[in-house]
Amino acid sequence: MGLPALEFSDCCLDSPHFRETLKSHEAELDKTNKFIKELIKDGKSLITALKNLSSAKRKFADSLNEFKFQCIGDAETDDEMCIARSLQEFATVLRNLEDERIRMIENASEVLITPLEKFRKEQIGAAKEAKKKYDKETEKYCGILEKHLNLSSKKKESQLQEADSQVDLVRQHFYEVSLEYVFKVQEVQERKMFEFVEPLLAFLQGLFTFYHHGYELAKDFGDFKTQLTISIQNTRNRFEGTRSEVESLMKKMKENPLEHKTISPYTMEGYLYVQEKRHFGTSWVKHYCTYQRDSKQITMVPFDQKSGGKGGEDESVTLKSCTRRKTDSIEKRFCFDVEAVDRPGVITMQALSEEDRRLWMEAMDGREPVYNSNKDSQSEGTAQLDSIGFSIIRKCIHAVETRGINEQGLYRIVGVNSRVQKLLSVLMDPKTASETETDICAEWEIKTITSALKTYLRMLPGPLMMYQFQRSFIKAAKLENQESRVSEIHSLVHRLPEKNRQMLQLLMNHLANVANNHKQNLMTVANLGVVFGPTLLRPQEETVAAIMDIKFQNIVIEILIENHEKIFNTVPDMPLTNAQLHLSRKKSSDSKPPSCSERPLTLFHTVQSTEKQEQRNSIINSSLESVSSNPNSILNSSSSLQPNMNSSDPDLAVVKPTRPNSLVQPPRQLCSLPSKPALAF
């Protein structure tokens, strides 16, 4: 039920019902007045909170914009560049959003607070003033009326008429004030329906505009968000593989740190305590020393490991002789004397252990003969790139493509070690190697065949893409321009020996077929790069830096798979020299990498040959087909190959496949490192 209407005719009667109705209107105005006061107070608090929120968001955006990612290594993948740029993208989106919010906040006070204050003061305030006047006139009228009615009838007629006239005037004035008050009360009640609600509508419209602007920004941000999500997932997958590799290397370093020393330009280096003479005796100062046998240069750097700071200036001397210090001639253990050409006297040094002293004396050609017990005793693999090797790879590929091309997790799920070794021993037997290419019985599981293929590639004396080209392939993958990457890898492939290139072509054609069936086997080009990158491009030395480059090894394999027809069936434009390598890198570095929203969802796209290149290809293809169809004609037979039956390859452990989605992340067995010099996948 709403409020009853105030009739002007009731003003004259001024009945109790009229007074009750008037009181209900007055109570409603009081309630509206209090509500508007609270609303203004809450509105101001909301505006203040919005300002604080906007300020906090801007500060947050500034912090995001100022931070720069630093990745391990001397180059970044496309995914890493996308992730590194993401913070600046986030900051830009937040700033754009807050610009709209600031405009909304600046107008909020004029749109909401000012109109409400004006309505409360001008309209409700005026009604309150009219009520005061009405109450005053009511009291005046009632007082005069009572006084007039108390006049004695015995008074003179003139006095009574004068009193009647005065009462009539007061009654008329009271009636007018009553009418004005009723009019004002009803006017305010009607005005509040629009003058009170309209500012609220305008304020909400500003909020809606702000949120709509945020929705539009979210749509514009969608492409980048999608690509960033893919980049994050790719980086996470690479991290899982890299972490297992680094952890494996760490465990090997714990077991035998001397066996995994980094290749250093120095013959020997490490900490030694050097005896220094003082005024009141001698002291032993810790130095980090390096020795270069060719120049016989010893460099001593005083360094405190506790504080992490140098304790003085570096000193370099030229070695003249090195002699082991007799135990009974000095109180300290593990000491030896060094004589320098350019420094008088003898320098007495203390090694950290007896073994350490032996190594230092051996490096400095000390007087006592010392034999190095840390030689790599690992035997070379028995696999070779000969007719038997090509036959084994072809048999494995044929079996996979005819029987298991659609198996989920192909090349990811590994076979049992004993069965893999047994299959290799059969395939590597010279008696069976000359049989037909398809002679792998159906009794062998596909995962056993794929593991045998990978194991044979790891058994080669060196990686298929050769140690000497490993760094060149990595540098090519680090170029920012995709076309330059393909061009350099194209040239490098054609610098490989003929047998290596033919084997690589055979393998890449097969992997391209596997990738074409990725909807069934879940093995995309990226997944195949993760599997074969560390094997085909394993570094000669096993280090953390080499593990961090695995992601670029994977990229090289991805490029080879996606561009195998161009790379193997055409010749590069010209031989790749060092000067051209430098020029290509410089040119590619000048080109701006595409934004995440512009790049495709896959990491690479096949580069189409130009019309001129295609004409050249048609001339070359005929000669290449004859070679690729019968490579055995140019391969020399070698002695029979025996498999390494004691291999403890972690890649050949039994792994039970889980749901297909688990194939997105590389299993740990595929990312562990065997002992030097080979890197497993």
Side-chain angles (χ1 to χ4, degrees):
M1 289 281 299
L3 294 173
L6 291 172
E7 297 293 342
F8 291 130
S9 59
D10 291 336
C11 293
C12 182
L13 296 175
D14 198 13
S15 64
H17 174 72
F18 169 74
R19 286 287 180 164
E20 290 296 327
T21 304
L22 189 58
K23 282 183 180 182
S24 64
H25 280 265
E26 292 171 350
E28 176 63 23
L29 288 181
D30 287 339
K31 186 174 72 172
T32 302
N33 186 51
K34 290 179 181 179
F35 177 70
I36 292 177
K37 278 186 178 181
E38 290 295 324
L39 193 64
I40 291 173
K41 179 181 176 182
D42 294 340
K44 290 180 178 179
S45 298
L46 174 60
I47 293 171
T48 302
L50 290 174
K51 288 181 179 179
N52 293 335
L53 176 61
S54 181
S55 177
K57 283 189 175 181
R58 282 184 170 274
K59 187 175 180 181
F60 182 70
D62 292 340
S63 298
L64 289 177
N65 191 56
E66 291 172 1
F67 184 79
K68 307 295 181 184
F69 274 109
Q70 293 294 332
C71 298
I72 299 176
D74 56 356
E76 298 176 346
T77 64
D78 292 345
D79 292 326
E80 289 171 339
M81 286 188 287
C82 179
I83 292 174
R85 197 169 64 252
S86 64
L87 298 188
Q88 285 69 43
E89 295 282 350
F90 295 157
T92 301
V93 171
L94 285 175
R95 282 204 196 97
N96 291 338
L97 193 61
E98 290 315 301
D99 288 342
E100 184 67 26
R101 186 194 295 271
I102 287 296
R103 287 193 291 270
M104 188 270 292
I105 294 174
E106 289 175 350
N107 295 330
S109 181
E110 295 182 2
V111 170
L112 178 66
I113 306 300
T114 302
L116 290 180
E117 286 281 10
K118 182 178 179 182
F119 175 76
R120 192 182 69 83
K121 291 179 180 180
E122 293 185 359
Q123 300 300 324
I124 298 181
K128 286 186 175 183
E129 291 296 326
K131 182 180 185 310
K132 290 179 182 180
K133 186 177 180 181
Y134 175 71
D135 291 341
K136 184 179 179 180
E137 289 298 325
T138 300
E139 185 177 357
K140 180 181 178 181
Y141 169 68
C142 292
I144 292 177
L145 184 60
E146 289 178 1
K147 184 179 178 181
H148 178 69
L149 294 177
N150 288 330
L151 287 177
S152 174
S153 58
K154 296 180 179 181
K155 285 192 179 271
K156 293 181 180 181
E157 186 65 24
S158 59
Q159 291 178 340
L160 293 175
Q161 289 181 355
E162 183 179 356
D164 290 342
S165 300
Q166 186 179 4
V167 169
D168 289 339
L169 289 174
V170 173
R171 183 187 293 112
Q172 182 64 30
H173 189 260
F174 168 70
Y175 179 62
E176 291 175 358
V177 170
S178 178
L179 290 174
E180 291 176 358
Y181 178 51
V182 168
F183 174 78
K184 189 62 180 177
V185 168
Q186 295 196 126
E187 179 188 17
V188 174
Q189 295 286 21
E190 294 296 323
R191 276 181 176 272
K192 75 176 183 182
M193 302 300 293
F194 56 90
E195 289 195 2
F196 169 39
V197 178
E198 191 175 31
L200 292 174
L201 174 61
F203 178 73
L204 290 177
Q205 182 62 35
L207 282 178
F208 295 154
T209 303
F210 164 72
Y211 287 122
H212 179 73
H213 183 70
Y215 171 75
E216 294 295 330
L217 283 177
K219 287 201 301 185
D220 295 340
F221 188 68
D223 292 338
F224 176 78
K225 182 182 70 173
T226 301
Q227 182 58 35
L228 180 60
T229 303
I230 295 172
S231 297
I232 291 173
Q233 184 61 41
N234 291 341
T235 306
R236 186 189 299 277
N237 293 342
R238 294 192 186 105
F239 163 76
E240 294 295 336
T242 303
R243 183 183 181 279
S244 62
E245 300 279 0
V246 175
E247 186 178 15
S248 175
L249 178 59
M250 178 186 66
K251 291 179 180 178
K252 293 178 183 178
M253 293 294 290
K254 287 181 179 180
E255 295 170 359
N256 195 344
L258 295 179
E259 214 175 85
H260 294 82
K261 279 190 173 180
T262 305
I263 296 177
S264 171
Y266 303 107
T267 308
M268 187 66 186
E269 60 180 319
Y271 283 101
L272 294 171
Y273 284 88
V274 181
Q275 187 182 44
E276 295 184 356
K277 294 181 179 181
R278 306 293 185 186
H279 294 293
F280 302 99
T282 60
S283 64
W284 294 85
V285 181
K286 196 174 187 179
H287 289 70
Y288 190 81
C289 302
T290 59
Y291 174 69
Q292 180 61 261
R293 176 174 288 169
D294 294 338
S295 61
K296 292 190 174 184
Q297 194 79 12
I298 303 174
T299 302
M300 297 176 287
V301 181
F303 190 81
D304 184 7
Q305 288 177 281
K306 295 179 181 179
S307 63
K310 292 175 64 175
E313 297 296 327
D314 302 356
E315 182 180 3
S316 296
V317 296
T318 303
L319 176 68
K320 181 179 180 182
S321 66
C322 174
T323 308
R324 184 181 68 84
R325 189 69 177 262
K326 294 182 179 180
T327 305
D328 56 359
S329 66
I330 192 170
E331 294 181 356
K332 298 283 187 178
R333 304 169 65 195
F334 319 132
C335 294
F336 59 94
D337 292 336
V338 171
E339 290 185 79
V341 175
D342 47 0
R343 172 174 168 172
V346 176
I347 305 173
T348 301
M349 298 181 171
Q350 182 187 26
L352 304 182
S353 64
E354 185 62 39
E355 176 68 12
D356 192 38
R357 177 173 67 173
R358 184 185 66 78
L359 294 174
W360 276 103
M361 291 188 64
E362 182 188 32
M364 295 182 179
D365 298 320
R367 292 182 184 181
E368 297 182 357
V370 181
Y371 301 97
N372 187 5
S373 62
N374 293 318
K375 291 182 179 179
D376 189 1
S377 60
Q378 186 177 2
S379 61
E380 293 285 347
T382 57
Q384 299 292 335
L385 290 177
D386 56 3
S387 58
I388 295 179
F390 273 85
S391 175
I392 291 172
I393 298 301
R394 283 198 177 91
K395 288 178 181 179
C396 292
I397 289 176
H398 185 272
V400 171
E401 293 191 348
T402 55
R403 292 198 283 121
I405 194 70
N406 292 328
E407 282 202 13
Q408 291 187 357
L410 193 64
Y411 288 106
R412 271 287 179 87
I413 300 174
V414 296
V416 180
N417 185 29
S418 59
R419 289 189 58 78
V420 173
Q421 295 297 340
K422 184 177 180 180
L423 175 60
L424 280 175
S425 66
V426 172
L427 293 176
M428 297 173 71
D429 187 349
K431 296 180 182 179
T432 60
S434 58
E435 296 179 6
T436 60
E437 301 288 341
T438 61
D439 193 23
I440 295 183
C441 299
E443 66 182 67
W444 298 101
E445 295 179 299
I446 292 299
K447 63 182 180 181
T448 304
I449 298 173
T450 56
S451 295
L453 183 148
K454 294 184 292 183
T455 303
Y456 189 84
L457 292 175
R458 287 198 303 276
M459 290 168 60
L460 294 173
L464 190 59
M465 299 173 73
M466 305 188 68
Y467 290 128
Q468 66 189 83
F469 294 108
Q470 197 262 352
R471 293 308 307 167
S472 298
F473 277 112
I474 294 298
K475 289 180 180 178
K478 291 179 179 180
L479 294 176
E480 296 181 0
N481 183 271
Q482 174 66 8
E483 186 175 353
S484 299
R485 292 177 188 170
V486 177
S487 177
E488 289 208 25
I489 291 175
H490 187 187
S491 299
L492 288 169
V493 166
H494 284 265
R495 292 172 62 185
L496 293 172
E498 185 68 22
K499 293 181 181 179
N500 294 63
R501 188 168 67 253
Q502 288 183 356
M503 179 67 80
L504 187 62
Q505 179 179 6
L506 184 65
L507 184 61
M508 291 302 115
N509 289 341
H510 167 59
L511 295 183
N513 291 336
V514 173
N516 290 337
N517 293 272
H518 70 275
K519 291 183 178 179
Q520 292 78 30
N521 57 40
L522 304 181
M523 293 302 293
T524 61
V525 173
N527 287 339
L528 292 172
V530 171
V531 172
F532 284 91
T535 293
L536 302 181
L537 267 174
R538 65 180 183 268
Q540 194 164 8
E541 183 188 9
E542 188 177 355
T543 63
V544 174
I547 293 174
M548 292 303 169
D549 278 340
I550 288 178
K551 55 193 174 186
F552 295 105
Q553 297 172 6
N554 303 344
I555 290 175
V556 173
I557 304 305
E558 293 175 18
I559 292 176
L560 288 175
I561 295 173
E562 291 190 334
N563 302 274
H564 67 281
E565 293 185 358
K566 173 184 177 181
I567 291 176
F568 294 102
N569 296 332
T570 66
V571 295
D573 292 336
M574 61 183 67
L576 194 64
T577 63
N578 291 334
Q580 289 167 336
L581 276 171
H582 175 73
L583 181 61
S584 178
R585 294 189 196 102
K586 181 178 180 182
K587 180 179 179 181
S588 64
S589 63
D590 294 337
S591 62
K592 182 179 179 182
S595 65
C596 293
S597 61
E598 295 171 344
R599 290 206 309 272
L601 297 183
T602 55
L603 191 57
F604 300 106
H605 275 261
T606 304
V607 179
Q608 300 295 331
S609 301
T610 61
E611 182 179 354
K612 182 179 179 181
Q613 184 68 46
E614 290 177 352
Q615 293 174 358
R616 189 187 296 114
N617 295 349
S618 62
I619 300 174
I620 298 171
N621 283 340
S622 58
S623 61
L624 289 177
E625 288 175 358
S626 61
V627 175
S628 61
S629 61
N630 189 19
N632 292 336
S633 63
I634 63 172
L635 300 176
N636 296 324
S637 300
S638 63
S639 60
S640 62
L641 305 176
Q642 298 299 326
N644 185 2
M645 301 303 294
N646 297 324
S647 173
S648 58
D649 182 7
D651 190 23
L652 300 177
V654 178
V655 177
K656 293 183 179 180
T658 58
R659 61 183 184 277
N661 290 339
S662 66
L663 299 174
V664 177
Q665 298 195 6
R668 180 172 177 176
Q669 288 83 352
L670 302 176
C671 300
S672 59
L673 292 170
S675 57
K676 267 191 330 186
L679 278 172
F681 35 81

